[in-house]
Amino acid sequence: MIPGANKEEKKRNPRLEDIKDTAKLLVKNKLALTGLIISSFYIFFAILDVIYPQYLGVGPGVVTTLTRFTGPNIVLAPPTDPTFSKGWYYFLGTTYANIPLLPAMLAALYNDIWDSAIVVGSGAVIGILVGTFSGYFGKIVDELVMRITDIFFSIPYLIFAIIMVTVLARVFAADNITIPPLTIISVSLIVIWWPTYARLTRSITLSVKSQKFIEASTASGSSRVRNVVVHVIPNVLSPVFVQISLDIGNVILLFATLAFLPLTFLNLNEFTPELGSMISSSETYMLGPGWFSAVIPAVFLLIFTISINLFGDGLRDVLDPKLRR
Amino acid sequence: MITQEEIKTEQGKVPYIEVKNLVTRFFTSKGIVKALENVSFKIYPGEVYGLVGESGCGKSVTSTSIMDLIPDPPGRILDGEIFIDNFNILSDLKSLAKIKVRSETDVKIKRNKSAIKRHNFILSKIRGNKISMIFQEPFLALNPTISIGKQISEVILLHNIIGMADSIIKRETMKTTDVDELLEQLAEINDYSMRKKIINQWTRNFGIPDLEASITSLLDHVTDQKYVAEQIAHMIEENQREINIDRIKEIRDYYTIERKIFELTLNQIQFERTGEIKKAQEAKAKIRAYKAMSKKKYFKLRLEMRFFSKRVLAIFHKEARRRVLELLTLVNLAGPEVVIDEYPHELSGGMQQRAMIAMALASNPKMLIADEPTTALDVTTQAQILELIGELNKVMGMSVLFITHDLAVIAEMCNKVGVMYAGNIVEETTTEEIFNDPKHPYTVGLMNSLPRADKKREKELKFETIPGNVPNLITPPPGCRFHPRCKFAMDICSLKKPKLTEVSENHKVACFLYSNESEDDVA
Amino acid sequence: MELKYYIIRRLLVLIPTLLGLLLLTFILLDALPKSFLIEQFVNHKLPIPAQNLEKQQAITTLGLNLSPPEQFLIYVNNLIHGNWGFMYPNSEGYGSYYSGPVLAGIMEYFPVTLEIAIFAVIFSIVIAIPLGTYIGSKPNSVSDQVGRVFSLSGYAMPTFFLALVLQIAINPYFPSFISGQGYPSYTHLSWIKSISGTEVSTPTHMLVFDSLLHGDFSLAAVAFGHLVLPVLALSYGFLAGLLRFIRAGMVDASNQEYVKTARAKGVPEKQVLRKHVRKNALLPSITVFGLVFSGLLGGAVVIEEVYDLNGLGRFGLSTVSGGYIQFFGILGTTLFFGIVLVMANLIVDVLYALMDPRIRY
Ligand SMILES: Nc1ncnc2c1ncn2[C@@H]1O[C@H](COP(=O)(O)OP(=O)(O)OP(=O)(O)O)[C@@H](O)[C@H]1O
Ligand code: SF4
Ligand SMILES: [Mg+2]
């Protein structure tokens, strides 16, 4: 080997190169690209609502309940057909209680995306910390963490979510704390979600830990905490990112499902801006002419979950070193 | 093993394998890997041909190309001819796919599915039958969920059903006159080894090799001819199983038609290549007729074989198992009766490689490709495996294409050596010459990198290496691919590609130092 | 023999996990206000002294006079002795919610879930294996892309929406598929009698299998008809999961060296797939079965709600519905779901061990 032969290689930033390659491959994967484009569109609206809450009238602080769209006196009424004459609010008609469907859906989307992002994000952060440290330090801590995650995996998470949500809602109600039902769901889901990430990162940590460069850096006096932060965590990021992109869809579905089920303690009603509860509230109209008021939000949700799944799946393929050519 | 003299007179002989201008590429997202560039060589029957070169120079790609096992995607053989036993397996290469290269990273490949199907059909009859292959890592190369015995007998059942059926039929329909014939034959011969040979052939012929030992000892110890004949007839009768001869005949006939279809397909391809359209169409019509006939006549048999193949072919499985035991003994596996039912993970690396070799030998191919068969093994096992391969070459006259980057192994095993560099064969000659008179600067470099005991002491530990790295094959250096690392590089070297030319008898080199091409030729 | 020890060892490891699950649920429930739990047992129509008596009774049954650790230990002790606690009559929706001993309730509701789960699993496997083998053998082809969208839609589809759409889409054509009053749990024999005219014993507690055992094919057909939509709705997610894993397994297995060996032996393409790739692809798919099965059990909750089936999911929901939080009901449901899932995983692991020659205990 000529001493100078590798100089050129060293100048390049390998991580940056990697990201560039990933992006290139991702663009070639048509399905993943489609998924990315469509889901970015959804996310764009969710972000737009934060930056210009007044613009669509559905941002934070503007909409916590759909009664904003109904006017002061609420009248339950069957859905009305789409119309283009009354402005964009009514492009998709109205749903129960004269709520204009389109802005209501955007408001619900805003809640769904942000809440699930928070759930998955916090779940991932907790999971990464627990997983990497327990994997790296091993021994009793590791054993304990694994047994705890075992417990979470020993029951379908929907069941756990139902119980958790109900109990939390009742506990808060007793203490006279008013917490929006969606927040209660978020909190419950974070508790349920971190073990997935802990498992994932732990297994990667174990394989990174056995590699030579870790030994070398320990030998050169690097502390163990520093090792985890500098060497292990960067290595777990890309699989975690894939998992996040697949989980966002899962968590949104879970929100919708919990909103759909008759969980009386949760106080979710037809005025909570949430796609699942909108669907279940207009379920009764599904057999009649107002079917669209249930189907449109459902399809709207479905398109998002499919796209984000397509993206996540494509990302996994692209990041898989075995499939990289 | 053929001697050096024989190699010198090879001109008159027909090579078993002939590779001509082979071009193989990999179309990857980073660009086109020009893995092989006009590789040509010949391997004669009984020869051990060594292929050496640094890692990544295309040795494995050469061997997989010969088997036509290049993974697609990403790879494809683009051009060339590979004659195996006089049949060019790449005859229909041009019809398999249309490749449009727009840029390095943008290549459109349009595959012709029916042509590929036909091509695979032809090759499935050649691979494992006329030529077989063993790999670097036997543990990965053996299927973890199938027992060793089943993996080996699979080859036998694939290629030897007709022969097996014939011998079964012979055995089952054997008469006392057959025994008498043997005795008559033996009566005139006194030479012990000759007698043994005849008995061996006879038992093999009638599909009763198990009985060889007992018949021999019987003949050796008992002189009463009548008694012997009776005993042998009795033994054979015991060995005959109650089986349905008609069924076996039916199976044999079915496979005979299959073989006929295969031969006709070969003809068709050859006619297509030579442009004799009419004859090709005739062959095609015949194939169709045979296929229709086979479908109609053997409808029930085909159905049964699809779903109850184990039961239909039970007797063949049994025969194959016996042959597997023989093979396992042949490759010196201890306790073949145990090994046959074991799974790959239960064997050591050396045993696994022996099992691989047994598998490669199962259908008596004339050629074995060994791609670094000992790299993954420990030193003692390495020596044993090498010895085994050498023996097979000597005893069975099998040609071997031996791939390695260990020059010591080359010296020990091979008659002839091809040196590869970055997708080209840069030098080809006899083993003797390569060590005594290496010509190509790359070969010289390789030789110098060997630790030599006979040189002066102080030099012993400090052997030279070739400077630089193997080039990236996506953007290989123009001209001679070795020129960035060559001490003797001239102007022409970066402009023009040297051809592999004969510089002396049996010595070919691709280097401008040895050719008299003038620089004027540069376009 | 060795397998027996393996199973016993696995079972022993499961016990702490299940205990941990109970403990976690218990801690969660412990956060509930005590007065709320007690109020649930009190019939407010009774005179005050009687109400006070009921309160006293509730405190002792719930063990609220004891410390939480003591409560937990006593609960576990009762569990072992077959006393899983009691679910109290729900004054609001009396009759539509289960009341009575928890274990008896679970035993009554579980067969329905088991039945749809069995059919869903069979259906999914029957579809997923050939389909997954096929698309996995041609990665990145058009059929692979279609398969990818199909299975990712399965992940992305809200189960309740699929169930609703199926109901609405099929209702006009095959009204008999949809049971207005729901699929009977085995104790409600009146429904069975009305069809076959005679009373039926219920050895399996599953209507389809019971009627088959009695040779009553028309009843079996009717019962099965009621299950078609729930099974379809429940299968999609499970099928999608299996399909993805089998496909990935196929792609992975076809890139292995031994597949190259098989080709080098002269094995024809079709046989390579059948003999060498498929088995090695399906084996690892077995191990993810448990993971996907968890999703299926969760889906059952939603399906039973939409199709009005009295299954375990329904039972679980009823423990937190109608203004009541059934302390023992929740603990029992969690434990039982845990047992089902954990046992399913164990069975899958044992199957895997039996089928893969590489695994010895
Ligand atoms: N599947 C593939 N995809 C892309 N490139 C490939 C593939 N297989 C081989 N190559 C390329 O072809 C070239 C030759 O590889 P090959 O495996 O033949 O080397 P080799 O001489 O056998 O080396 P070694 O001694 O390490 O086995 C390498 O540059 C490699 O990158
Ligand atoms: S052709 Fe030129 S560069 Fe290539 S080996 Fe010969 S002298 Fe060296
Ligand atoms: Mg190689």
Side-chain angles (χ1 to χ4, degrees):
Chain A
M1 207 189 275
I2 307 179
N6 262 0
K7 243 184 201 157
E8 201 193 346
E9 303 255 327
K10 261 187 197 155
K11 262 188 210 157
R12 291 196 223 129
N13 180 347
R15 218 164 269 283
L16 201 69
E17 286 286 302
D18 236 36
I19 291 173
K20 268 190 199 162
D21 281 353
T22 309
K24 258 191 221 158
L25 287 173
L26 206 58
V27 170
K28 271 194 185 166
N29 186 337
K30 299 262 155 53
L31 283 178
L33 189 64
T34 318
L36 177 63
I37 292 171
I38 296 176
S39 46
S40 331
F41 206 65
Y42 277 77
I43 292 168
F44 166 76
F45 272 107
I47 293 177
L48 190 72
D49 288 341
V50 182
I51 303 174
Y52 298 111
Q54 306 304 329
Y55 191 64
L56 293 177
V58 293
V62 180
V63 173
T64 46
T65 161
L66 292 179
T67 47
R68 180 185 183 280
F69 298 112
T70 60
N73 34 358
I74 299 163
V75 189
L76 283 184
T80 60
D81 283 347
T83 156
F84 291 99
S85 53
K86 292 206 276 184
W88 73 269
Y89 265 35
Y90 293 89
F91 278 3
L92 292 176
T94 64
T95 180
Y96 52 87
N98 283 324
I99 297 169
L101 190 51
L102 185 53
M105 256 165 44
L106 289 180
L109 175 78
Y110 163 82
N111 278 326
D112 274 338
I113 286 188
W114 281 109
D115 285 354
S116 62
I118 287 168
V119 168
V120 175
S122 345
V125 169
I126 299 172
I128 288 177
L129 290 178
V130 173
T132 49
F133 279 97
S134 81
Y136 195 84
F137 289 97
K139 296 188 188 137
I140 298 173
V141 184
D142 188 35
E143 193 59 31
L144 195 68
V145 168
M146 280 306 103
R147 292 291 80 80
I148 291 175
T149 55
D150 268 354
I151 293 172
F152 280 93
F153 283 105
S154 68
I155 178 173
Y157 54 72
L158 183 60
I159 309 283
F160 212 63
I162 290 172
I163 295 168
M164 187 100 174
V165 162
T166 308
V167 173
L168 282 190
R170 188 62 192 81
V171 170
F172 287 135
D175 296 350
N176 280 328
I177 308 170
T178 40
I179 290 183
L182 290 181
T183 312
I184 294 180
I185 299 186
S186 303
V187 171
S188 315
L189 291 190
I190 291 173
V191 174
I192 295 167
W193 226 255
W194 68 267
T196 318
Y197 290 92
R199 281 257 179 119
L200 179 71
T201 51
R202 176 183 176 265
S203 68
I204 302 165
T205 306
L206 288 184
S207 71
V208 173
K209 190 181 160 189
S210 62
Q211 276 164 18
K212 281 275 175 295
F213 66 89
I214 295 275
E215 273 172 39
S217 91
T218 314
S220 68
S222 176
S223 85
R224 296 209 288 177
V225 176
R226 198 190 121 85
N227 268 348
V228 173
V229 175
V230 175
H231 295 296
V232 180
I233 290 185
N235 273 299
V236 303
L237 284 183
S238 78
V240 162
F241 195 59
V242 170
Q243 188 66 33
I244 285 181
S245 62
L246 291 169
D247 270 353
I248 293 261
N250 277 340
V251 171
I252 286 198
L253 284 185
L254 209 47
F255 264 98
T257 307
L258 286 172
F260 175 82
L261 293 173
L263 301 176
T264 36
F265 285 99
L266 197 54
N267 271 330
L268 262 179
N269 56 25
E270 48 274 73
F271 301 110
T272 311
E274 203 290 325
L275 284 169
S277 84
M278 283 176 69
I279 299 166
S280 82
S281 302
S282 36
E283 188 195 331
T284 40
Y285 304 114
M286 256 178 114
L287 283 173
W291 56 270
F292 61 88
S293 65
V295 171
I296 289 179
V299 171
F300 187 66
L301 170 67
L302 189 59
I303 291 176
F304 177 69
T305 48
I306 290 183
S307 330
I308 195 113
N309 266 299
L310 278 175
F311 169 67
D313 194 61
L315 192 65
R316 176 170 49 195
D317 276 6
V318 166
L319 287 177
D320 187 346
K322 264 186 290 179
L323 300 177
R324 258 203 165 162
R325 297 196 296 263
Chain B
M1 173 93 83
I2 355 178
T3 60
Q4 300 296 334
E5 284 76 57
E6 276 177 84
I7 286 181
K8 281 185 186 136
T9 57
E10 75 191 8
Q11 258 67 22
K13 285 200 283 180
V14 189
Y16 189 71
I17 295 249
E18 180 168 6
V19 177
K20 276 190 194 165
N21 296 324
L22 190 62
V23 179
T24 302
R25 307 228 150 131
F26 293 93
F27 303 98
T28 70
S29 59
K30 295 231 167 75
I32 303 173
V33 181
K34 287 100 189 157
L36 292 187
E37 207 67 61
N38 289 321
V39 167
S40 308
F41 59 94
K42 297 173 189 173
I43 302 176
Y44 290 88
E47 193 175 68
V48 181
Y49 188 102
L51 211 50
V52 269
E54 279 165 299
S55 183
C57 67
K59 304 180 299 284
S60 298
V61 175
T62 308
S63 61
T64 19
S65 295
I66 294 176
M67 302 291 282
D68 200 359
L69 284 174
I70 295 290
D72 172 28
R76 281 213 77 86
I77 298 178
L78 289 205
D79 199 9
E81 290 167 299
I82 297 171
F83 288 90
I84 296 178
D85 201 9
N86 279 324
F87 173 72
N88 179 4
I89 60 166
L90 300 183
S91 300
D92 52 352
L93 184 68
K94 290 281 174 293
S95 67
L96 297 183
K98 297 254 174 308
I99 300 177
K100 226 191 225 164
V101 180
R102 293 209 196 109
S103 74
E104 280 278 319
T105 49
D106 184 13
V107 179
K108 282 272 165 312
I109 303 180
K110 209 168 162 259
R111 297 176 180 83
N112 178 345
K113 276 188 195 150
S114 65
I116 289 180
K117 206 171 159 195
R118 190 179 70 176
H119 184 75
N120 283 340
F121 168 67
I122 296 286
L123 274 152
S124 70
K125 305 275 173 187
I126 292 174
R127 292 179 196 141
N129 192 13
K130 296 202 176 261
I131 179 166
S132 45
M133 187 164 182
I134 57 177
F135 299 92
Q136 181 169 351
E137 288 184 56
F139 181 64
L140 297 177
L142 289 165
N143 191 327
T145 53
I146 304 182
S147 70
I148 297 286
K150 290 224 176 91
Q151 292 193 52
I152 301 178
S153 64
E154 189 178 21
V155 187
I156 302 170
L157 291 168
L158 277 172
H159 301 297
N160 298 353
I161 287 258
I162 300 180
M164 274 158 69
D166 278 338
S167 67
I168 293 171
I169 291 170
K170 261 193 185 158
R171 181 183 75 208
E172 298 299 321
T173 55
M174 219 169 160
K175 295 185 199 77
T176 41
T177 48
D178 293 323
V179 182
D180 293 341
E181 252 169 48
L182 171 74
L183 294 179
E184 260 167 50
Q185 231 181 334
L186 288 175
E188 292 150 24
I189 296 159
N190 283 325
D191 176 29
Y192 182 76
S193 63
M194 193 69 192
R195 280 172 75 97
K196 221 177 153 178
K197 217 173 181 178
I198 288 175
I199 297 171
N200 178 302
Q201 242 169 30
W202 186 83
T203 46
R204 242 166 224 293
N205 193 5
F206 285 102
I208 40 171
D210 297 6
L211 298 184
E212 185 187 338
S214 33
I215 289 179
T216 317
S217 75
L218 195 68
L219 283 165
D220 286 349
H221 299 299
V222 187
T223 41
D224 181 358
Q225 291 286 312
K226 214 176 147 206
Y227 176 75
V228 170
E230 257 172 35
Q231 281 299 312
I232 294 179
H234 185 69
M235 269 195 253
I236 290 168
E237 211 170 281
E238 266 189 355
N239 227 271
Q240 285 177 345
R241 301 183 190 108
E242 299 261 316
I243 48 169
N244 185 348
I245 289 285
D246 291 339
R247 192 56 191 268
I248 294 194
K249 279 187 182 153
E250 190 189 4
I251 292 172
R252 182 190 61 184
D253 294 347
Y254 170 70
Y255 275 95
T256 317
I257 290 181
E258 287 275 282
R259 184 151 78 183
K260 195 86 202 162
I261 293 174
F262 166 67
E263 279 160 8
L264 282 167
T265 318
L266 286 189
N267 287 343
Q268 187 198 352
I269 289 175
Q270 236 140 16
F271 289 139
E272 273 170 15
R273 186 172 167 89
T274 50
E276 293 166 88
I277 310 272
K278 237 193 201 144
K279 279 189 180 167
Q281 271 164 357
E282 261 170 43
K284 201 174 169 184
K286 261 193 203 162
I287 293 170
R288 207 172 288 153
Y290 269 117
K291 274 189 182 160
M293 193 263 266
S294 150
K295 256 195 195 131
K296 219 169 110 192
K297 194 168 167 192
Y298 299 108
F299 178 75
K300 225 182 109 208
L301 180 71
R302 288 168 75 116
L303 212 68
E304 281 175 69
M305 290 226 287
R306 173 73 178 79
F307 294 105
F308 312 104
S309 105
K310 280 229 176 76
R311 211 167 65 207
V312 177
L313 298 178
I315 177 103
F316 292 93
H317 279 281
K318 229 178 240 169
E319 297 284 311
R321 191 179 163 86
R322 215 185 48 207
R323 172 102 176 94
V324 172
L325 282 175
E326 261 175 51
L327 285 164
L328 292 179
T329 321
L330 182 72
V331 296
N332 297 329
L333 260 174
E337 299 84 6
V338 183
V339 172
I340 194 169
D341 291 319
E342 280 187 322
Y343 288 87
H345 69 277
E346 293 168 291
L347 307 183
S348 70
M351 287 166 95
Q352 286 165 354
Q353 194 60 290
R354 281 175 202 274
M356 274 302 288
I357 294 175
M359 192 150 84
L361 299 178
S363 124
N364 287 320
K366 294 263 160 23
M367 168 93 202
L368 175 72
I369 298 180
D371 189 350
E372 305 195 26
T374 56
T375 316
L377 307 176
D378 65 72
V379 186
T380 24
T381 329
Q382 265 182 27
Q384 288 166 357
I385 296 286
L386 290 179
E387 199 178 316
L388 175 64
I389 295 176
E391 242 166 58
L392 293 173
N393 166 253
K394 260 178 240 155
V395 176
M396 304 174 57
M398 198 165 61
S399 327
V400 180
L401 170 59
F402 198 94
I403 295 175
T404 177
H405 36 220
D406 189 346
L407 284 165
V409 173
I410 290 278
E412 192 183 318
M413 300 280 302
C414 305
N415 316 114
K416 215 169 166 187
V417 185
V419 179
M420 278 197 93
Y421 182 76
N424 297 304
I425 290 193
V426 293
E427 180 161 7
E428 185 192 75
T429 182
T430 59
T431 313
E432 254 174 36
E433 289 248 335
I434 207 94
F435 285 99
N436 296 338
D437 184 16
K439 292 221 153 68
H440 196 280
Y442 175 66
T443 321
V444 176
L446 276 186
M447 294 299 157
N448 286 342
S449 66
L450 273 184
R452 291 198 180 204
D454 52 13
K455 277 194 178 170
K456 282 181 210 153
R457 276 241 150 214
E458 61 268 27
K459 273 200 176 174
E460 194 178 330
L461 291 171
K462 213 181 134 207
F463 39 89
E464 296 166 48
T465 51
I466 309 169
N469 286 327
V470 186
N472 172 351
L473 291 183
I474 293 175
T475 48
C480 173
R481 286 185 175 177
F482 188 55
H483 82 256
R485 299 169 72 184
C486 181
K487 276 190 235 166
F488 309 101
M490 304 165 283
D491 291 343
I492 186 177
C493 299
S494 55
L495 298 173
K496 206 163 168 263
K497 198 168 180 120
K499 284 201 194 84
L500 191 64
T501 42
E502 194 141 26
V503 289
S504 66
E505 208 181 4
N506 278 321
H507 200 148
K508 292 179 187 163
V509 182
C511 171
F512 289 119
L513 291 177
Y514 301 95
S515 78
N516 32 25
E517 282 175 82
S518 69
E519 292 196 28
D520 309 340
D521 291 351
V522 181
Chain C
M1 208 49 195
E2 284 165 328
L3 188 62
K4 202 170 88 190
Y5 291 127
Y6 172 72
I7 294 174
I8 291 174
R9 213 164 55 223
R10 279 290 304 265
L11 284 174
L12 287 178
V13 177
L14 292 183
I15 291 171
T17 308
L18 289 176
L19 271 181
L21 178 62
L22 270 184
L23 186 61
L24 200 67
T25 321
F26 187 86
I27 292 171
L28 194 63
L29 291 175
D30 197 49
L32 285 171
K34 305 285 169 289
S35 58
F36 166 74
L37 286 177
I38 296 168
E39 280 304 312
Q40 295 192 54
F41 295 107
V42 178
N43 188 347
H44 292 280
K45 283 177 195 136
L46 293 176
I48 300 293
Q51 282 190 23
N52 282 339
L53 207 67
E54 279 195 335
K55 275 185 192 167
Q56 278 310 314
Q57 261 177 349
I59 289 173
T60 40
T61 28
L62 286 170
L64 291 182
N65 45 354
L66 303 170
S67 70
E70 278 173 316
Q71 285 177 40
F72 185 68
L73 288 180
I74 288 173
Y75 174 70
V76 172
N77 184 40
N78 284 344
L79 270 186
I80 296 167
H81 292 98
N83 175 8
W84 286 39
F86 212 79
M87 274 171 73
Y88 288 88
N90 194 319
S91 52
E92 279 176 38
Y94 195 80
S96 67
Y97 295 107
Y98 175 82
S99 64
V102 172
L103 190 57
I106 288 174
M107 285 308 152
E108 178 185 333
Y109 280 69
F110 179 55
V112 173
T113 307
L114 184 62
E115 195 169 19
I116 52 174
I118 288 175
F119 282 118
V121 168
I122 293 175
F123 175 73
S124 309
I125 289 179
V126 164
I127 303 274
I129 289 182
L131 206 59
T133 324
Y134 178 75
I135 59 177
S137 68
K138 341 178 126 185
N140 299 325
S141 65
V142 175
S143 44
D144 182 31
Q145 304 292 15
V146 173
R148 182 183 293 240
V149 174
F150 173 78
S151 51
L152 288 180
S153 309
Y155 284 168
M157 177 75 83
T159 316
F160 64 89
F161 181 62
L162 178 66
L164 286 175
V165 167
L166 277 179
Q167 197 172 37
I168 285 160
I170 301 206
N171 194 24
Y173 307 105
F174 303 100
S176 76
F177 272 178
I178 292 153
S179 54
Q181 65 279 64
Y183 188 73
S185 59
Y186 79 101
T187 45
H188 302 150
L189 282 174
S190 60
W191 192 83
I192 306 177
K193 264 191 264 171
S194 69
I195 291 174
S196 63
T198 51
E199 203 161 302
V200 184
S201 74
T202 54
T204 67
H205 295 176
M206 288 179 268
L207 200 46
V208 175
F209 299 112
D210 280 342
S211 40
L212 282 179
L213 284 179
H214 287 289
D216 189 343
F217 293 108
S218 61
L219 178 58
V222 172
F224 185 72
H226 282 266
L227 291 181
V228 169
L229 291 189
V231 166
L232 280 184
L234 189 56
S235 298
Y236 193 18
F238 189 66
L239 171 64
L242 281 188
L243 204 59
R244 283 314 281 159
F245 281 116
I246 293 178
R247 185 224 172 243
M250 286 293 289
V251 173
D252 194 45
S254 6
N255 288 329
Q256 298 293 321
E257 277 287 302
Y258 54 76
V259 174
K260 197 163 143 194
T261 311
R263 294 210 172 94
K265 287 198 284 194
V267 183
E269 265 331 283
K270 270 189 195 161
Q271 201 174 324
V272 169
L273 279 184
R274 261 209 318 270
K275 268 179 85 171
H276 292 271
V277 181
R278 194 169 60 186
K279 188 175 175 198
N280 286 296
L282 291 183
L283 275 177
S285 314
I286 296 179
T287 56
V288 301
F289 188 91
L291 199 72
V292 207
F293 191 68
S294 158
L296 184 133
L297 283 182
V301 179
V302 179
I303 297 289
E304 286 161 11
E305 183 59 28
V306 174
Y307 289 103
D308 221 2
L309 299 169
N310 282 327
L312 197 58
R314 203 60 176 311
F315 183 82
L317 265 184
S318 76
T319 60
V320 294
S321 296
Y324 276 60
I325 295 184
Q326 304 273 10
F327 194 88
F328 295 123
I330 290 178
L331 283 170
T333 315
T334 333
L335 178 62
F336 197 76
F337 266 111
I339 292 175
V340 170
L341 191 55
V342 151
M343 289 314 281
N345 270 318
L346 177 61
I347 291 171
V348 162
D349 285 354
V350 170
L351 272 184
Y352 182 61
L354 286 178
M355 281 163 80
D356 192 330
R358 279 166 294 186
I359 296 189
R360 294 279 174 273
Y361 323 99

